Amino acid sequence: MILTIYKRALAVLAKKPFALWGISLLKGLLVVLAQLLFGTVVGVAMAIVLLLDTSMTLIFLHGYRGDEVHCVQLFDCFKDGKTFKRVLAGMAWMELWIFLWSLIPVAGIVFGMIRSYQYRLTPYILMQEPEISPTEAIKRSSQMTQGYKGKMFGADILIYVALWVAVLLLALLAQIPYVGILFLIVAVLLLLCAAVLLPLFLGLVQAAFYEEITNPTPVALPYGGTASFCPHCGTPLAPGSAFCPNCGTKLS
């Protein structure tokens, strides 16, 4: 599943590298500006960062779905007071719970990481499902990510492991006399490309997981036909199922 999501994310990134990078760069500049202007005002800069992060998450989703992406979409969370307050409340609630879980002695870092993956779909829910309250959004995300947290963690860590192995191999080859400088140059270029493109790629990977969970790809069954999977427990579903036969989750 991870490799399939990687391929899809790379295909999208290949089509819109400059648009996504430009918007990501603008978002970074806005974050810096917010820190400079409101860094001394408690909570204001953090609120702006949370809202910009949410908007950027949705931009990656638009890009993954093949829709057009624009800089103005960075301000989707600021478009009206209701959206502003709802998204800010939901994201602040999510960050608070991750922080509280991280305070557990000794194992806090592990629990905090688990909760960060468990609540990862919260920004999508806040923007895509307006009928769900901000405090309920993290519960909804917890339900949706059951069976996917390990896969999402694996997708995040695998790309870094691959990058580390590639850089290590190039560093070893760089020790070869005379031609080693070429491998060193390649290693530097690889790190520069990773610094620019890796955040975009991981943003698309996260969007791909949300899309896979909410709109699972039908798969062929051994006895014929196709089925999707329950977003709650992962049980294969027959076409047209209204409820999961295993956990009873109501299906849209």
Side-chain angles (χ1 to χ4, degrees):
M1 179 182 183
I2 292 176
L3 293 180
T4 300
I5 284 179
Y6 275 2
K7 291 178 182 178
R8 294 173 182 172
L10 283 173
V12 175
L13 185 58
K15 293 178 181 178
K16 303 178 180 180
F18 297 109
L20 290 172
W21 181 76
I23 296 172
S24 179
L25 180 61
L26 176 60
K27 180 246 180 179
L29 294 175
L30 291 173
V31 167
V32 172
L33 184 61
Q35 296 287 352
L36 292 175
L37 294 178
F38 306 106
T40 58
V41 183
V42 178
V44 174
M46 182 179 293
I48 294 174
V49 171
L50 287 176
L51 293 169
L52 288 173
D53 284 343
T54 303
S55 294
M56 194 69 211
T57 299
L58 267 293
I59 288 173
F60 284 123
L61 181 61
H62 292 318
Y64 182 78
R65 288 175 171 174
D67 301 331
E68 292 296 323
V69 293
H70 305 284
C71 292
V72 71
Q73 292 170 336
L74 272 175
F75 306 98
D76 281 354
C77 292
F78 301 85
K79 61 184 178 182
D80 57 70
K82 182 178 180 181
T83 301
F84 177 90
K85 291 186 290 185
R86 182 173 179 277
V87 173
L88 181 57
M91 292 300 291
W93 187 247
M94 179 192 76
E95 294 292 342
L96 174 62
W97 275 105
I98 293 174
F99 173 72
L100 292 175
W101 278 100
S102 300
L103 293 179
I104 297 175
V106 183
I109 187 171
V110 176
F111 283 107
M113 182 177 296
I114 291 173
R115 296 301 173 182
S116 69
Y117 282 96
Q118 189 170 336
Y119 303 153
R120 176 169 277 194
L121 303 187
T122 300
Y124 301 103
I125 295 168
L126 290 170
M127 294 296 287
Q128 300 284 301
E129 303 182 43
E131 72 280 0
I132 296 179
S133 68
T135 54
E136 290 294 320
I138 64 171
K139 295 181 181 179
R140 169 73 170 151
S141 178
S142 298
Q143 294 174 346
M144 295 173 66
T145 53
Q146 286 193 18
Y148 286 93
K149 292 187 288 293
K151 296 174 183 177
M152 290 190 290
F153 174 76
D156 285 348
I157 200 69
L158 181 59
I159 190 67
Y160 283 107
V161 171
L163 178 63
W164 181 83
V165 170
V167 171
L168 179 61
L169 178 60
L170 289 169
L172 292 175
L173 293 174
Q175 305 305 313
I176 300 174
Y178 306 111
V179 297
I181 186 63
L182 297 177
F183 293 105
L184 181 61
I185 293 173
V186 173
V188 172
L189 292 175
L190 178 61
L191 289 173
L192 289 175
C193 290
V196 173
L197 298 177
L198 193 55
L200 308 181
F201 176 72
L202 290 176
L204 290 169
V205 167
Q206 182 175 325
F209 270 105
Y210 172 77
E211 195 73 355
E212 181 64 27
I213 292 170
T214 54
N215 299 289
T217 304
V219 297
L221 299 175
Y223 49 80
T226 60
S228 298
F229 295 95
C230 173
H232 183 71
C233 67
T235 299
L237 304 171
S241 298
F243 294 90
C244 173
N246 180 54
C247 66
T249 297
K250 185 177 181 180
L251 309 169
S252 58

